[in-house]
Amino acid sequence: MKICTTVQEMRQARATLGTVGFVPTMGFLHEGHLSLVRRARKENEAVIVSLFVNPIQFGSPDDLANYPRALERDIALLKEEGVACVFTPEAAEFYPQGFATQVDVGGVALELEGPSRPGHFAGVATVLTKFFNIVQPQRAYFGQKDAQQCAVVQRFVQDLNIPVEVITLPTWREDDGLAGSSRNSRLTGGERRRAPVLHQALCRARDLVQAGERRRAVLEGAMRDVLVKASLTEIDYVTVVNPETFQTQDMVPENALALLAVRLGAVRLIDNLPLG
Amino acid sequence: MKICTTVQEMRQARATLGTVGFVPTMGFLHEGHLSLVRRARKENEAVIVSLFVNPIQFGSPDDLANYPRALERDIALLKEEGVACVFTPEAAEFYPQGFATQVDVGGVALELEGPSRPGHFAGVATVLTKFFNIVQPQRAYFGQKDAQQCAVVQRFVQDLNIPVEVITLPTWREDDGLAGSSRNSRLTGGERRRAPVLHQALCRARDLVQAGERRRAVLEGAMRDVLVKASLTEIDYVTVVNPETFQTQDMVPENALALLAVRLGAVRLIDNLPLG
């Protein structure tokens, strides 16, 4: 497995490979990431994984500084998975003095995580555009856990005619329902025990929809009840949206998507569940 | 010569070509464009030219509506030049309902034409990113007449790691000094006779710099005098900048660039001249 730290190294390594599946990550890999890598191996001649904690998608310097890192362990895991190439660029080369370009996405990017994390999706779209131009993959793999990010990526890839197929795979979950996230490692023992309540709240909305409920206010109220009863009161949003627009409707559509963002102590967790 | 009107046609045609030199234009071709095409032919196995009046780079609907068009004549000219492929996309396919992405450039894009034409450079950067992703050229050719645009293109191509070499060729001029521009066709007879004064003003600044003058205020005053004496008083800007930053300094650098934007009746003309 080749490890590339510069753009030039990465371009040279890529030129030796056939069809490429690309898995962009911020490292501190979990089973969710590895499920993307395994699918990418099946569908392409080679897999490239990036490990890069992208500074421009963090709003808060604390959040960036506290984001967990485990480069050597990540590299060992990817080697076992038969990855052809790991790309760990330096921020100084990726964003040199004078860097002045941003890929701004409107539409779906303006909802939920958009206002909650100003600049976040522009940072994501900008770094992915750079990666796509350097790695030139046939396919790129993302987890449904970041449902809105997936929609934003689909949007700008289509709008800018980037020649890559964007593939979204189901959220990987722990046995107790907690969605895989690098941030889970920052939960205390007590927080970790309460964290599955996020998924339980989403499941409650799904059960109600399957029983015929379509009123958004009722669904949101039910999810909020589940959270509050478990003393998860620092709720950023709990909602049900149209998955094409990420906008709310009073009566939710058949293919509605429930999403939430909740703070447990120092950690902000997000999760979502298709209700249809 | 193949004429492609859809993205799919263009991708298919491109796949049959080797190295490609790309000349993006808004049509109504003049000798300046053709000089780019000829250089592109020398340096690449095939040349692709786009003819597309890009709606999102126009601030005013009037300016867009009045932009001159001559598709059949353009196609005949390009055929004579041995161009492999002409790409004339439809705006409805390029910017479909729901289109929501913009490539925003800061730095050099924030000066001069930036505030004069809000949204212009974002429109240029967005359409060129689309073209680069579809046409996938090895090299792209631009005229120095749009000096700031050239700097903006260099900026976002570098920032987004787009694998294309950006090549800027000298401004093509009529015998009387007027810089080639599709907009020249919209000048009345009287305006056309006065239009070379733009170039004369720039030459005045160059003569002064060659005689040792470095004070920006003096150079700008001298250029303004030349314009005003010819009754060209609708001056958007007349200035001398650092060509790397497009910012002004009180004492101009050795490689300074003089630029101006002047309105003649209904037509806004721009021009520039390296003073070093």
Side-chain angles (χ1 to χ4, degrees):
Chain A
M1 187 176 75
K2 192 157 176 54
I3 297 171
C4 301
T5 59
T6 70
V7 172
Q8 197 192 348
E9 277 174 359
M10 185 66 249
R11 286 200 198 278
Q12 282 168 357
R14 197 277 169 258
T16 67
L17 304 172
T19 59
V20 162
F22 176 51
V23 183
T25 83
M26 299 210 296
F28 211 83
L29 302 178
H30 52 68
E31 279 295 318
H33 296 112
L34 299 181
S35 71
L36 303 181
V37 170
R38 286 167 199 147
R39 173 69 85 90
R41 274 209 70 188
K42 277 194 197 142
E43 296 179 344
N44 305 275
E45 287 164 21
V47 176
I48 297 177
V49 177
S50 62
L51 303 171
F52 181 58
V53 182
N54 176 36
I56 67 168
Q57 75 186 66
F58 286 83
S60 128
D62 275 0
D63 191 26
L64 172 60
N66 290 327
Y67 198 87
R69 290 160 169 88
L71 186 59
E72 287 185 24
R73 201 203 57 177
D74 289 345
I75 287 172
L77 284 171
L78 295 173
K79 204 167 173 179
E80 275 175 37
E81 296 292 337
V83 165
C85 207
V86 169
F87 185 27
T88 61
E90 293 288 334
E93 189 192 4
F94 244 39
Y95 304 115
Q97 183 109 37
F99 184 91
T101 305
Q102 191 166 281
V103 177
D104 275 313
V105 189
V108 287
L110 304 180
E111 311 297 330
L112 304 177
E113 293 291 300
S116 284
R117 305 182 66 188
H120 172 65
F121 284 130
V124 169
T126 303
V127 78
L128 286 175
T129 301
K130 289 171 67 70
F131 276 127
F132 292 154
N133 283 324
I134 296 163
V135 173
Q136 298 188 29
Q138 272 63 41
R139 297 173 194 83
Y141 296 82
F142 297 87
Q144 165 74 14
K145 191 222 138 200
D146 298 300
Q148 195 180 358
Q149 174 177 283
C150 292
V152 169
V153 175
Q154 293 276 14
R155 180 79 258 164
F156 81 80
V157 162
Q158 182 184 327
D159 285 351
L160 297 181
N161 305 97
I162 298 175
V164 61
E165 186 185 350
V166 175
I167 294 168
T168 301
L169 297 185
T171 303
W172 180 86
R173 296 183 183 282
E174 304 277 359
D175 287 340
D176 61 9
L178 178 63
S181 167
S182 307
R183 294 180 201 272
N184 293 348
S185 67
R186 294 182 50 221
L187 298 169
T188 65
E191 287 161 359
R192 174 63 189 81
R193 280 187 291 279
R194 286 152 69 213
V197 173
L198 273 68
H199 183 238
Q200 289 157 18
L202 295 166
C203 288
R204 177 89 184 103
R206 189 185 52 190
D207 293 346
L208 287 168
V209 164
Q210 284 177 356
E213 183 60 69
R214 287 287 181 278
R215 291 166 295 177
R216 179 168 58 88
V218 172
L219 297 168
E220 289 179 1
M223 288 192 284
R224 199 171 278 269
D225 277 351
V226 175
L227 295 171
V228 171
K229 276 184 186 146
S231 302
L232 298 184
T233 54
E234 290 189 79
I235 300 171
D236 206 345
Y237 56 78
V238 185
T239 192
V240 183
V241 303
N242 178 322
E244 268 114 59
T245 61
F246 280 75
Q247 290 179 345
T248 54
Q249 304 163 207
D250 288 344
M251 301 300 283
V252 310
E254 285 228 349
N255 62 344
L257 183 68
L259 303 104
L260 43 75
V262 178
R263 192 170 284 279
L264 272 91
V267 186
R268 182 178 182 273
L269 295 179
I270 61 172
D271 199 355
N272 69 86
L273 197 68
L275 303 184
Chain B
M1 188 175 76
K2 191 156 175 55
I3 297 171
C4 301
T5 59
T6 70
V7 171
Q8 197 191 350
E9 277 174 359
M10 185 65 248
R11 287 200 197 278
Q12 282 168 357
R14 198 274 170 258
T16 68
L17 303 171
T19 60
V20 162
F22 177 51
V23 183
T25 82
M26 298 210 296
F28 211 83
L29 302 177
H30 52 69
E31 279 296 318
H33 296 113
L34 299 182
S35 72
L36 303 181
V37 170
R38 286 168 199 146
R39 173 69 85 90
R41 273 209 71 186
K42 277 192 196 142
E43 297 179 344
N44 305 274
E45 287 163 21
V47 176
I48 297 176
V49 177
S50 63
L51 304 170
F52 181 58
V53 181
N54 176 35
I56 66 167
Q57 74 186 67
F58 286 83
S60 129
D62 275 2
D63 191 26
L64 173 60
N66 291 326
Y67 199 86
R69 290 160 169 88
L71 185 59
E72 286 186 24
R73 202 203 57 179
D74 290 344
I75 287 172
L77 284 169
L78 295 173
K79 204 166 175 179
E80 276 174 36
E81 297 292 339
V83 165
C85 208
V86 169
F87 185 27
T88 61
E90 293 289 333
E93 190 193 2
F94 245 39
Y95 304 116
Q97 183 109 38
F99 185 91
T101 306
Q102 191 166 278
V103 177
D104 275 314
V105 190
V108 288
L110 303 180
E111 313 295 329
L112 304 177
E113 293 291 300
S116 284
R117 304 182 66 188
H120 173 65
F121 284 130
V124 169
T126 303
V127 78
L128 287 174
T129 300
K130 288 170 69 70
F131 275 128
F132 292 155
N133 282 325
I134 298 163
V135 172
Q136 298 188 29
Q138 274 62 43
R139 297 173 193 84
Y141 296 82
F142 298 87
Q144 165 73 16
K145 191 222 139 199
D146 299 300
Q148 194 180 358
Q149 174 177 282
C150 292
V152 169
V153 175
Q154 293 277 13
R155 180 79 259 165
F156 80 79
V157 163
Q158 183 184 326
D159 286 350
L160 297 181
N161 305 95
I162 298 175
V164 61
E165 185 185 352
V166 176
I167 294 168
T168 301
L169 298 184
T171 303
W172 181 86
R173 296 182 183 283
E174 304 276 358
D175 288 339
D176 59 10
L178 178 63
S181 168
S182 306
R183 293 179 201 274
N184 294 348
S185 67
R186 295 182 50 219
L187 298 169
T188 65
E191 287 161 1
R192 174 64 190 81
R193 281 187 290 279
R194 286 152 70 212
V197 174
L198 273 69
H199 183 238
Q200 289 157 19
L202 295 166
C203 289
R204 177 87 183 104
R206 188 184 53 192
D207 293 346
L208 286 168
V209 164
Q210 284 176 357
E213 184 59 70
R214 287 288 180 280
R215 291 167 295 177
R216 178 168 60 88
V218 172
L219 297 168
E220 289 180 0
M223 288 192 284
R224 201 170 276 272
D225 277 353
V226 175
L227 294 171
V228 170
K229 273 183 188 147
S231 301
L232 297 184
T233 54
E234 289 190 80
I235 300 170
D236 205 346
Y237 57 78
V238 185
T239 192
V240 183
V241 302
N242 177 322
E244 269 115 58
T245 61
F246 280 75
Q247 290 180 345
T248 55
Q249 304 163 205
D250 288 346
M251 301 299 283
V252 310
E254 286 228 349
N255 62 344
L257 183 69
L259 303 103
L260 44 74
V262 178
R263 193 169 283 278
L264 273 91
V267 186
R268 182 177 181 274
L269 295 179
I270 62 171
D271 199 357
N272 70 86
L273 199 67
L275 303 184

